[in-house]
Amino acid sequence: MNQQSQYSEAAVKVENLEKTFGAFTAVNRISFEVKKGEIFGFLGPNGAGKSTTIRMLCGLLTPTSGAGTVGGFNIMKDQELIKQHIGYMSQKFSLYDDLTVEENIEFYSGIYRLSKKEKEERMEEVIKQAGIEDFRKNLTRALSGGWKQRLALGCAILHKPNIIFLDEPTSGVDPITRANFWSIIKEMAGRGVTVFVTTHYMDEAENCDRMTLIYKGTIIAMGTPEEMKTDIMKDDILEVRVPGADEWIDKLESLPGVKDAALFSTTIHTVVENAKIGSASIEAAFKMAGVKDYSVNKIRPSLEDVFVSSIEKYDKEHPAK
Amino acid sequence: MNLKRVRAIANKEYIQIIRDPRSLALGLLIPVILIVLFGYALSLDIKDVPLAIWDQDNTKASVDFILNFKNSEYFRIIGYYDNYRNLERLLNYGRTMMVLVLPKDFSRYLYSNQSVPVQLILDGSDSNTATIALGYAQSVVQQYNDKLFRKSSQTNLVNSQPISLDQRVWFNQDFESKNFIVPGLIAIIMMIIAALLTSLTVAREWERGTMEQLISTPVRSSELIIGKFLPYFAIGMIDLVISVILGRFVFFVPLRGSLIQLFIMSALFLTGALSLGIFISTVAKSQLMASQMAILTSFLPTFLLSGFTYEIFNMPQAVQAVTYLIPARYFIKILRGIYLKDIGMFELWPEATCLMVFSVLMSRLAIHKFKKKIL
């Protein structure tokens, strides 16, 4: 399908990609590369520039400056060619509420010019994959959030694209549906499809082969999950259990050797340059305050730790004007 | 251009119209409501103009004169009064439209062969109606004069051949305004369908987010616009059929010209009007904005400046110049030509050409303006 494949090994490649809206810079000269067949996570908090980037890659927005290719096609010039080779699922539910499940699939089959036979095959596959066999004649409006998302994914990949872009596919759905969604994504990647996925759920990043963390329009970290935890995170993480944890955050943060402290449900994760020195000073603080039932353990940083500390590091280096 | 895609979009649009009772009702009830409303209510014929009378003379001659008004179906005498204060109040409160004052010397003037000054006071606030009412009053007086003249010539044998005014009316012999209004209504109905229904189709997809998915596919602007156009075109043509049938069998408006030409010209106008609606929808991107723009830019000018409600030759020069930009102006002229005079696109080829230019230009613009881009 993709005649450009022999020339470029990257499914997506961008250099100094920039998008400004008036005085506001949504995406600030970012560069990255997505290899063929990998699940590439594009992570960041809300408003970081994830959707703007994905829209530029899909040919829905023209970049202000920079260069890049998707499936070998130029994102500045060949936007309509790109659209023939990709699948895109937007952040907001984008199927027709007032059409039934089958009618929506039929509509997109027509848009992608599937033959009658292909259409019938894909219809069954998509309905089965989304697990909505019982609702095929129901209006899409009546489906729950998770089913809607799975149907939307099915419609976006009816034409079996080589590269798919998913913009926050799991936002607002329950954990079981999220897990199910990720198994569909992994299965597609297993068949050689490149998956570019954005999310603000940091725990989902573990499912990605590689990822970047984007914050305020700038890429602040990039790598495999392993690289993120070892190379990027030079500091150690200490998990502190103490009664009334939330009251301790400010106190712990002000201790010497402690760079940062953040609440993770009932525990505090503190970022320290050195685990031994750090835990000694935290324990000393608890003893002085007369706290007895506490524990301080060095843990392997989760991706969430990496992201939180990367973002805080960025904020310290770039104070708001 | 790919027919499969056009069909997919047209089919989707059709399902959405069918499932939305409001837009379906709007599309099919508008012609019925408008034709019934205009056919019955908005009649430009005036009957029963309220008339107040002060007969200062009160002789056989003056009563005889008043009888002419009384017997006319155009006037309804609301009462006789004997001072200006009361008459003025009646006019002020709008209880009468016309006041007739006969002087004290009415019969004396008349018999001494002098002309009689009869005072007619008219409420001119509704100038159209006032003008028509004044015309009726003048014709009543004229008839009375004729009668007097005939009488005097018979007795004095001066003139054996009294002047007879032979009146003839062409095209609308009965002066039935509905024969004039119903053809024009077809243009109004088509404009409303285009303005109110089509203007929402593109804007709604932007608002609901479905457009973002659609423009990420290889679908072309032309396929999308034409696919959206087709179901509304069908509704517009069904409305035309409804209008023609209602006009013919409920209001007995005769169709003198060619039905085929009526359909061809209507299809041409509809194409332009729908494209205008889609164009507005594309520019607006929100349903509220789109419907307001549609009403302001297409529906209102069509209603006011096309010659449907007000005669173009009565408008100030500057406004007359603007009417050349209103496509319905040409369409209404063609409609009235076909309906009333049995002439059509061959006699009215300049108008037909203007319509052609309008629809070609508008459809090109709608397709061109639609961008598969966000922002």
Side-chain angles (χ1 to χ4, degrees):
Chain A
M1 192 173 178
N2 184 351
Q3 61 270 54
Q4 253 81 358
S5 50
Q6 61 246 48
Y7 305 115
S8 95
E9 265 311 304
V12 178
K13 186 174 181 179
V14 296
E15 267 167 50
N16 294 317
L17 192 66
E18 185 187 31
K19 182 72 194 179
T20 57
F21 299 101
F24 173 69
T25 304
V27 173
N28 188 8
R29 288 193 286 277
I30 59 172
S31 304
F32 61 87
E33 203 178 306
V34 181
K35 293 193 195 85
K36 276 195 177 145
E38 74 179 354
I39 302 176
F40 188 82
F42 206 65
L43 299 106
N46 291 328
K50 302 191 296 290
S51 291
T52 305
T53 305
I54 211 166
R55 284 167 168 176
M56 286 193 280
L57 297 177
C58 294
L60 306 180
L61 267 181
T62 306
T64 308
S65 69
T69 58
V70 169
F73 299 105
N74 189 323
I75 60 167
M76 305 296 272
K77 287 187 303 204
D78 302 327
Q79 292 161 328
E80 289 307 306
L81 281 170
I82 289 173
K83 288 175 186 176
Q84 292 180 11
H85 295 88
I86 60 157
Y88 167 64
M89 181 179 154
S90 65
Q91 188 174 0
K92 206 176 145 194
F93 178 70
S94 54
L95 297 182
Y96 298 95
D97 262 346
D98 42 358
L99 261 57
T100 66
V101 168
E102 282 186 347
E103 284 163 351
N104 266 302
I105 299 173
E106 187 138 355
F107 173 66
Y108 275 101
S109 300
I111 294 295
Y112 286 118
R113 298 160 63 183
L114 302 189
S115 70
K116 195 160 183 287
K117 188 165 159 282
E118 281 174 314
K119 184 190 84 187
E120 279 159 11
E121 279 172 21
R122 297 295 287 145
M123 170 101 66
E124 295 313 310
E125 285 171 31
V126 164
I127 287 177
K128 193 164 165 245
Q129 187 180 53
I132 46 178
E133 290 94 335
D134 295 340
F135 308 107
R136 49 198 304 158
K137 304 269 184 218
N138 287 35
L139 289 187
T140 313
R141 188 183 290 140
L143 297 184
S144 75
W147 278 323
K148 276 185 182 174
Q149 289 297 87
R150 280 183 274 175
L151 176 63
L153 177 65
C155 286
I157 57 169
L158 275 176
H159 55 308
K160 299 193 172 171
N162 290 331
I163 309 172
I164 58 173
F165 293 88
L166 308 173
D167 196 1
E168 306 243 352
T170 53
S171 81
V173 299
D174 61 273
I176 295 166
T177 307
R178 273 168 64 185
N180 175 283
F181 217 94
W182 277 99
S183 74
I184 297 174
I185 291 173
K186 282 179 177 168
E187 192 211 341
M188 287 191 296
R191 279 187 269 122
V193 175
T194 308
V195 181
F196 186 102
V197 56
T198 74
T199 178
H200 64 258
Y201 293 119
M202 301 305 175
D203 55 323
E204 289 187 343
E206 297 279 357
N207 294 302
C208 301
D209 297 321
R210 272 187 337 120
M211 67 195 75
T212 71
L213 179 63
I214 184 168
Y215 180 61
K216 292 185 177 169
T218 309
I219 290 179
I220 58 174
M222 196 180 328
T224 64
E226 198 51 40
E227 285 165 353
M228 297 290 254
K229 290 175 201 165
T230 53
D231 301 358
I232 291 165
M233 194 74 180
K234 301 285 187 206
D235 300 317
D236 289 332
I237 298 283
L238 296 175
E239 185 189 60
V240 179
R241 285 179 191 279
V242 64
D246 49 342
E247 284 156 31
W248 277 95
I249 290 173
D250 287 345
K251 289 176 204 159
L252 293 186
E253 232 171 8
S254 63
L255 294 175
V258 176
K259 284 182 162 178
D260 183 40
L263 200 63
F264 275 63
S265 64
T266 59
T267 67
I268 302 170
H269 285 196
T270 56
V271 182
V272 294
E273 271 172 46
N274 180 295
K276 272 185 189 157
I277 299 169
S279 55
S281 88
I282 291 169
E283 284 175 12
F286 285 147
K287 275 173 192 153
M288 267 176 62
V291 180
K292 293 217 169 70
D293 49 347
Y294 62 85
S295 69
V296 179
N297 295 305
K298 182 181 179 212
I299 54 162
R300 199 177 135 77
S302 69
L303 279 173
E304 199 160 347
D305 294 317
V306 180
F307 296 144
V308 170
S309 84
S310 301
I311 285 171
E312 291 195 340
K313 186 170 157 233
Y314 179 89
D315 276 342
K316 269 174 203 153
E317 288 166 7
H318 303 83
K321 279 162 210 156
Chain B
M1 192 142 81
N2 182 276
L3 283 180
K4 199 168 216 156
R5 288 205 196 111
V6 173
R7 205 172 60 205
I9 290 164
N11 192 38
K12 179 220 90 179
E13 209 70 24
Y14 164 76
I15 296 173
Q16 287 185 309
I17 296 171
I18 293 290
R19 296 239 167 99
D20 178 15
R22 273 174 311 170
S23 67
L24 192 65
L26 204 63
L28 296 177
L29 287 182
I30 275 181
V32 179
I33 291 171
L34 281 186
I35 291 209
V36 170
L37 214 62
F38 280 83
Y40 281 122
L42 190 132
S43 166
L44 296 179
D45 311 321
I46 298 166
K47 275 174 191 160
D48 297 333
V49 174
L51 172 69
I53 292 174
W54 182 10
D55 184 357
Q56 298 174 346
D57 193 40
N58 215 356
T59 56
K60 189 179 173 297
S62 68
V63 171
D64 188 42
F65 176 73
I66 291 166
L67 205 62
N68 286 286
F69 281 90
K70 208 173 181 174
N71 291 340
S72 154
E73 61 175 340
Y74 298 121
F75 298 100
R76 179 169 52 88
I77 295 172
I78 59 161
Y80 298 87
Y81 302 86
D82 60 1
N83 60 65
Y84 274 115
R85 274 242 326 269
N86 280 343
L87 291 171
E88 200 180 316
R89 190 179 305 140
L90 287 172
L91 274 172
N92 283 346
Y93 288 108
R95 297 219 188 89
T96 189
M97 179 156 200
M98 203 183 260
V99 168
L100 196 63
V101 183
L102 309 187
K104 216 165 44 217
D105 309 324
F106 185 87
S107 45
R108 198 165 59 79
Y109 272 115
L110 207 63
Y111 294 129
S112 60
N113 244 345
Q114 281 177 292
S115 100
V116 191
V118 172
Q119 189 181 28
L120 185 79
I121 307 168
L122 198 60
D123 177 357
S125 36
D126 178 358
S127 61
N128 266 335
T129 316
T131 312
I132 297 167
L134 180 62
Y136 291 153
Q138 280 167 345
S139 83
V140 168
V141 172
Q142 179 67 43
Q143 273 169 20
Y144 179 76
N145 281 344
D146 287 352
K147 215 159 60 183
L148 270 190
F149 179 68
R150 266 203 306 275
K151 247 189 216 160
S152 61
S153 56
Q154 272 163 14
T155 46
N156 303 340
L157 294 168
V158 176
N159 193 343
S160 58
Q161 201 81 60
I163 300 156
S164 79
L165 190 64
D166 187 12
Q167 281 193 10
R168 267 190 77 176
V169 181
W170 279 17
F171 307 132
N172 194 3
Q173 286 91 334
D174 316 322
F175 273 130
E176 289 264 26
S177 56
K178 67 179 176 4
N179 290 358
F180 196 58
I181 287 174
V182 168
L185 260 185
I186 293 175
I188 302 290
I189 288 165
M190 289 198 162
M191 219 26 164
I192 293 181
I193 297 301
L196 293 185
L197 291 181
T198 341
S199 68
L200 300 180
T201 62
V202 179
R204 185 171 49 217
E205 295 222 28
W206 282 113
E207 227 169 74
R208 292 190 186 164
T210 53
M211 190 57 91
E212 185 164 343
Q213 188 68 46
L214 200 48
I215 59 172
S216 76
T217 72
V219 71
R220 289 181 191 194
S221 304
S222 54
E223 292 160 348
L224 184 68
I225 299 299
I226 292 169
K228 280 184 168 292
F229 169 90
L230 289 174
Y232 292 100
F233 184 79
I235 291 185
M237 291 315 269
I238 292 171
D239 286 346
L240 173 64
V241 173
I242 294 176
S243 309
V244 171
I245 290 176
L246 276 182
R248 180 72 191 77
F249 296 103
V250 179
F251 293 101
F252 308 106
V253 176
L255 174 59
R256 300 205 166 112
S258 145
L259 195 62
I260 293 169
Q261 279 203 34
L262 178 66
F263 272 84
I264 294 173
M265 288 290 112
S266 300
L268 201 58
F269 178 72
L270 187 59
T271 303
L274 288 172
S275 305
L276 175 65
I278 294 177
F279 171 73
I280 289 171
S281 197
T282 302
V283 180
K285 286 203 179 181
S286 97
Q287 295 192 72
L288 182 68
M289 175 93 149
S291 59
Q292 283 173 349
M293 275 172 71
I295 288 170
L296 274 178
T297 61
S298 58
F299 173 58
L300 278 185
T302 302
F303 201 80
L304 299 174
L305 298 176
S306 65
F308 172 75
T309 337
Y310 307 109
E311 281 299 345
I312 290 172
F313 61 77
N314 265 343
M315 298 172 185
Q317 285 292 323
V319 179
Q320 281 196 34
V322 174
T323 64
Y324 286 101
L325 296 173
I326 312 295
R329 179 205 155 114
Y330 308 107
F331 185 44
I332 286 182
K333 189 159 181 196
I334 292 173
L335 285 171
R336 286 176 177 163
I338 293 175
Y339 255 96
L340 298 169
K341 304 182 191 172
D342 188 17
I343 58 171
M345 54 191 176
F346 301 110
E347 293 82 355
L348 297 172
W349 61 266
E351 280 79 10
T353 312
C354 287
L355 273 195
M356 180 74 92
V357 169
F358 163 64
S359 39
V360 169
L361 221 64
M362 220 52 241
S363 48
R364 301 285 309 173
L365 195 61
I367 291 171
H368 178 75
K369 194 67 199 174
F370 181 79
K371 290 277 185 298
K372 286 179 66 188
K373 288 274 157 58
I374 292 167
L375 294 178

